[in-house]
Amino acid sequence: MRSANRGLMRVAFLNAILGVFLHGPAWAAQPADKDIVEGELGQRLHEHMSKRAADGFSGVLFVAKHGNVVIAKGYGFANRETQVPFTSATVFDIGSITKQFTGAAIARLEMQGKLSADDKLPKFFGNVPADKSEITLFRLLTHSAGLQGDFGGDYETAPREWLVRKALESKLVFPPGTEHRYANSGFSMLAAVVEQVSGQPYESFLREQLWLPAGMQHTGYRLPNWSADVVAHGYRDGKDWGTPLDKHWATDGPYWNLRGNGGVLSTVWDMYRWHQALAGDKVLSANIKEKMYTRRVKEGRYSKSWYSYGWSLRDTPRGTRVIEHNGGNGIFFADFVRYVDDDIVIIAASNRSEDAESDYMRGIAKVVFP
């Protein structure tokens, strides 16, 4: 516990210095993080979203095409009570899009030679039962380990050791490697591996090794230290749910039913910076990204998509590749869709339950691809 605290203090100190001298206060929006509507496509998207906003939508849309941002714009309110508008600099819960960050953390450690996706659980945890002794990190990364999906609610007290013990003691849903079944618990186990191998808290490692090198100052659980008015409130059936930071979290982030599989906060601009980082080799090498983007395990027997390292991979009807993930908790909803062959990225989010239950991304895609 002491080493984890020292790691947090060291990272906080370094981030404070970097924030002041390079980017200003850690919570402040960077100059580029402003609402933009550019060109004919941007205007059509704005008109489409304005109609949605008139029907009650609140959230944000970001679209870039061939490296040019055509729209980065918020709609409705991030906080209805105080009339704070939702903008492209608003911080929101990205939900299960968190999983691809955990996958990237494992890839980073793999790139550094500190682990392999073929490593088995006994390498990282003691007293692994026989039925789980052959589970590899690859199986966790592809939802094919056979673990139960969850062991409790997102905001229940669940320390790391408790989560690991529950996963190891639980009954498998199927023999490892025989099926695909989405399991939040598997990515929490991967987050525990990140901590075990790196010797750092999960968020600290991702911030040092992934987010700051990508220029992402506004992504994390606690370390960005946002001011309260930049974090979006969620709304369920018109009632204020509050922000994720208002919920029952540990001092360094959510408890382990959520950590590593969800709950990271970010902005559309930061997510776009991550997309740009993945387009280069500064954070992850070309070799490791090829491994990440290889179609590994089908998401169901008759599915036309595959899962790998926290990403869902599929083809469009035009035969072009899509690398994507979405996330939500029934209140917040976010989507991160990368049309890699078309060089188009769409990032969208909403902070109200009605939008989480709708298919508004389909309408956005129809505007982008008429």
Side-chain angles (χ1 to χ4, degrees):
M1 185 61 71
R2 289 198 188 98
S3 62
N5 287 338
R6 282 200 301 269
L8 278 171
M9 291 173 65
R10 184 181 74 251
V11 173
F13 177 71
L14 290 174
N15 289 345
I17 292 176
L18 287 170
V20 170
F21 288 100
L22 298 180
H23 301 285
W27 51 264
Q30 297 179 25
D33 296 3
K34 60 184 180 180
D35 282 14
I36 292 173
V37 176
E38 291 287 348
E40 186 266 341
L41 176 57
Q43 190 59 44
R44 283 195 289 115
L45 286 164
H46 174 54
E47 291 172 0
H48 173 79
M49 295 306 296
S50 295
K51 292 177 183 177
R52 292 300 306 266
D55 292 332
F57 174 86
S58 62
V60 62
L61 174 63
F62 185 104
V63 177
K65 182 176 182 178
H66 304 320
N68 298 312
V69 179
V70 298
I71 189 168
K73 182 140 181 42
Y75 299 87
F77 292 105
N79 186 334
R80 296 178 187 174
E81 181 181 1
T82 58
Q83 298 286 285
V84 174
F86 212 121
T87 75
S88 60
T90 297
V91 175
F92 58 88
D93 189 334
I94 70 171
S96 284
I97 299 174
T98 300
K99 288 181 175 66
Q100 55 83 31
F101 285 131
T102 301
I106 293 293
R108 178 78 174 176
L109 290 167
E110 192 170 10
M111 190 177 81
Q112 295 170 346
K114 296 180 180 179
L115 54 73
S116 166
D118 295 324
D119 289 338
K120 299 175 182 179
L121 293 188
K123 181 174 180 178
F124 309 103
F125 308 110
N127 303 315
V128 177
D131 65 335
K132 300 175 186 70
S133 62
E134 295 300 308
I135 293 177
T136 62
L137 301 185
F138 171 81
R139 292 297 169 206
L140 298 177
L141 287 162
T142 55
H143 294 304
S144 60
L147 291 179
Q148 295 180 27
D150 297 282
F151 298 110
D154 287 352
Y155 304 111
E156 293 180 13
T157 300
R160 187 182 79 180
E161 294 74 15
W162 179 90
L163 182 283
V164 171
R165 186 176 71 253
K166 289 289 288 186
L168 295 179
E169 292 177 352
S170 64
K171 183 178 180 180
L172 290 175
V173 181
F174 53 79
T178 61
E179 296 182 36
H180 172 278
R181 179 168 171 171
Y182 199 87
N184 287 318
S185 61
F187 274 77
S188 292
M189 290 288 283
L190 289 167
V193 170
V194 170
E195 293 198 347
Q196 185 86 358
V197 174
S198 70
Q200 293 180 260
Y202 169 82
E203 183 186 9
S204 298
F205 180 81
L206 268 64
R207 188 165 173 84
E208 283 187 0
Q209 297 287 325
L210 304 179
W211 295 331
L212 291 183
M216 300 164 66
Q217 291 285 324
H218 316 291
T219 301
Y221 286 135
R222 294 283 198 194
L223 294 179
N225 193 27
W226 300 283
S227 62
D229 61 345
V230 302
V231 182
H233 286 232
Y235 294 89
R236 186 200 297 270
D237 301 325
K239 297 179 181 179
D240 191 341
W241 179 83
T243 78
L245 298 177
D246 300 326
K247 304 305 173 183
H248 180 54
W249 277 17
T251 56
D252 61 344
Y255 286 103
W256 283 78
N257 281 328
L258 185 60
R259 191 174 309 205
N261 71 70
V264 161
L265 308 180
S266 189
T267 70
V268 289
W269 282 104
D270 258 20
M271 296 303 291
Y272 181 57
R273 293 182 182 102
W274 179 239
H275 167 75
Q276 291 177 308
L278 290 174
D281 299 336
K282 183 177 180 180
V283 178
L284 296 174
S285 67
N287 288 340
I288 202 69
K289 284 187 295 182
E290 182 178 358
K291 190 172 184 178
M292 288 170 57
Y293 299 152
T294 297
R295 296 176 174 185
R296 300 291 184 175
V297 176
K298 269 197 169 187
E299 296 183 278
R301 182 178 299 178
Y302 304 108
S303 175
K304 294 183 179 180
S305 61
W306 290 257
Y307 204 91
S308 180
Y309 281 75
W311 289 106
S312 180
L313 314 170
R314 64 177 173 87
D315 285 340
T316 69
R318 296 172 288 109
T320 59
R321 293 174 299 149
V322 180
I323 302 174
E324 63 185 342
H325 211 291
N326 62 26
N329 60 1
I331 298 165
F332 285 93
F333 182 79
D335 223 323
F336 187 17
V337 188
R338 304 165 61 212
Y339 295 87
V340 290
D341 293 332
D342 298 295
D343 196 11
I344 292 174
V345 59
I346 302 175
I347 307 162
S350 173
N351 63 335
R352 66 173 200 149
S353 59
E354 294 90 337
D355 297 319
E357 295 163 1
S358 69
D359 190 15
Y360 67 88
M361 279 297 292
R362 185 180 297 274
I364 294 168
K366 285 183 177 180
V367 177
V368 176
F369 298 102

